[in-house]
Amino acid sequence: MAAMESIGPDHLEAAAKQLAPVIRRTPLVASRVLSERTGHEVRLKCENLQRTGSFKPRGAYHRIAGLPADVRRRGVVAASAGNHAQGVAWAATTLGIDSTVFMPVGASLPKLAATRAYGATVHQHGDTIDRCLSAAKDFAEQTGATLIHPFDHPDIVAGQATVALEILEQLPEVGTVIVPTGGGGLLAGVAVALRHLAPQVRVVGVQAARAAAWPESLAAGRPVALERMSTMADGIAVGMPGAVPFAHVAGDATVVTVDEDALSSALLLCMERAKLIVEPAGAAAVAALMTRADELELRGPVCAILSGGNVDPLLLTRLIGHGLSAAGRYLAVRVTISDRPGSLGKLLAAVGDTGASVLDVVHSRTGAWLAIEEVEVLLTLETRGTTHRDDVLDALGAAGYPVRVQD
């Protein structure tokens, strides 16, 4: 395809006009804490508040609405573990079209339920998206249904580009847009829109370090597949950039990575300071601002896209715990003390003097490394941050307690 010419201003305008009646114009929210950290005005583009909880319906609706009437009658099919599944289901139902979605056996129950509630027929197939995609392609060949790819199609990219069009209307002076990035549909859409309408704006993609195919692909000049991935940010865990997004991004955007601690800390910050529920993938742009702002060559004002908020409540509980630990708010230590009456009380009093709160105490006499007169105590403490955490450890050491931090 003629990649650079295939998505021009006319296509962007058509996508915006088509989506205006059905897609929410999501808010742009100021973030004082991120502005203070980065030294630039920071706004959050809340696509976690979009229909179905992510930006995905923009591309899905634009792609499906563009199908000829005779093609629509045969329905559409998709493969997804969550956000794209819901976007396709909602878009198809809104347009009066049958949809079928293949989801992994391990997909979360809330995402399965939501996809069905939006009107799709859901089949669980295999344990990976690749297997689901293979099944979806077979289904398309057998039934004549149209496969709606999550990112590798010009109409998908044009639909996602409407996020950038809204940002330019809401914050005309924007200097940098930071984009969570998986297959690249949203990144490409933002890059295309800004190239045509505001080429002075810097575009930065963000990937999870443990699922980062873009940096190597950009260096190689072509999409390169990862051998393995493992990240909490399942919404951007894509093994290889799409050919269409890559053609539109190469040369126009920088892509950086963030680690798992940064992702969970960003999720926690969004909850505590912005009062927004954001999934790990959706918080990737915030994670980059929290941990890599000095490297990003930011031009203010800065807009960080919160790309999605669909997170399983059970997973959210674990992610909050991970985020608290990464932020220095949890501390687990093993302390060896004398097996005498009052020893545990003295230890807890020493902890109390530091201002830390005791969440859990496990008292054990059975460790093979313990002497007859010794016991080991595992303490889980709540602290006020990394500085307080270090103060607690220093105080326990000064009191003569041998302390081992529990990972």
Side-chain angles (χ1 to χ4, degrees):
M1 57 174 274
M4 301 302 289
E5 292 76 23
S6 65
I7 304 177
D10 290 345
H11 199 168
L12 299 179
E13 183 179 351
K17 183 177 180 180
Q18 186 179 73
L19 293 174
V22 293
I23 290 294
R24 290 175 181 156
R25 182 186 174 93
T26 54
L28 210 60
V29 177
S31 173
R32 186 174 71 176
V33 63
L34 290 174
S35 297
E36 291 173 348
R37 287 195 185 198
T38 63
H40 295 278
E41 177 187 352
V42 175
R43 303 286 188 93
L44 306 176
K45 178 60 171 170
C46 299
E47 283 296 288
N48 58 312
L49 303 179
Q50 184 54 262
R51 294 187 184 279
T52 79
S54 85
F55 70 95
K56 288 291 189 178
R58 295 175 183 267
Y61 188 95
H62 184 54
R63 169 81 171 102
I64 297 170
L67 297 174
D70 60 326
V71 175
R72 289 192 191 191
R73 284 193 289 271
R74 296 194 290 271
V76 296
V77 61
S80 169
N83 289 348
H84 181 59
Q86 294 171 69
V88 168
W90 170 82
T93 298
T94 301
L95 289 163
I97 300 170
D98 291 337
S99 63
T100 301
V101 177
F102 288 84
M103 302 181 73
V105 172
S108 74
L109 294 179
K111 290 179 179 179
L112 282 166
T115 303
R116 291 188 174 112
Y118 286 123
T121 299
V122 177
H123 299 288
Q124 291 186 265
H125 183 87
D127 57 358
T128 67
I129 291 298
D130 286 340
R131 291 184 179 179
C132 289
L133 185 58
S134 177
K137 289 177 178 177
D138 290 343
F139 181 89
E141 291 179 2
Q142 294 165 8
T143 65
T146 299
L147 177 67
I148 306 300
H149 197 281
F151 49 82
D152 209 10
H153 193 279
D155 287 345
I156 295 289
V157 173
Q160 318 306 25
T162 59
V163 175
L165 300 184
E166 288 183 16
I167 292 171
L168 288 175
E169 293 173 356
Q170 294 166 309
L171 188 66
E173 67 275 24
V174 64
T176 306
V177 179
I178 306 180
V179 189
T181 303
L186 180 59
L187 178 63
V190 170
V192 167
L194 295 178
R195 181 189 308 123
H196 288 301
L197 302 174
Q200 76 281 3
V201 179
R202 178 168 167 74
V203 180
V204 180
V206 184
Q207 291 209 285
R210 293 166 60 176
W214 273 91
E216 184 178 349
S217 296
L218 289 172
R222 58 181 176 80
V224 176
L226 292 176
E227 293 183 3
R228 63 183 66 86
M229 298 181 295
S230 176
T231 177
M232 67 175 72
D234 59 340
I236 53 174
V238 177
M240 187 171 70
V244 172
F246 188 85
H248 288 83
V249 168
D252 287 303
T254 299
V255 178
V256 300
T257 63
V258 292
D259 63 23
E260 300 296 287
D261 283 353
L263 288 166
S264 59
S265 295
L267 180 149
L268 185 64
L269 183 140
C270 288
M271 290 185 61
E272 286 193 316
R273 302 302 296 271
K275 316 307 177 189
L276 293 167
I277 301 296
V278 183
E279 63 189 272
V286 172
L289 287 175
M290 291 175 65
T291 61
R292 305 199 60 174
D294 292 342
E295 309 167 40
L296 299 181
E297 300 179 9
L298 297 174
R299 304 169 191 162
V302 176
C303 179
I305 298 176
L306 306 181
S307 58
N310 291 318
V311 57
D312 187 321
L314 293 176
L315 176 60
L316 181 61
T317 301
R318 297 198 296 272
L319 291 172
I320 291 172
H322 190 278
L324 288 169
S325 179
R329 303 267 293 279
Y330 279 164
L331 172 62
V333 293
R334 294 185 179 275
V335 185
T336 302
I337 63 174
S338 171
D339 190 14
R340 294 178 181 176
S343 295
L344 179 59
K346 290 179 180 178
L347 171 62
L348 295 178
V351 171
D353 289 342
T354 69
S357 297
V358 178
L359 300 177
D360 194 24
V361 179
V362 178
H363 190 264
S364 174
R365 292 184 173 88
T366 59
W369 58 91
L370 295 172
I372 295 298
E373 70 279 6
E374 292 180 333
V375 297
E376 183 178 67
V377 180
L378 173 60
L379 296 176
T380 304
L381 310 175
E382 182 180 355
T383 61
R384 295 189 296 272
T386 53
T387 300
H388 186 212
R389 180 181 185 275
D390 292 340
D391 290 344
V392 171
L393 293 173
D394 290 342
L396 291 177
Y401 289 105
V403 176
R404 291 185 295 132
V405 177
Q406 177 78 14
D407 292 332

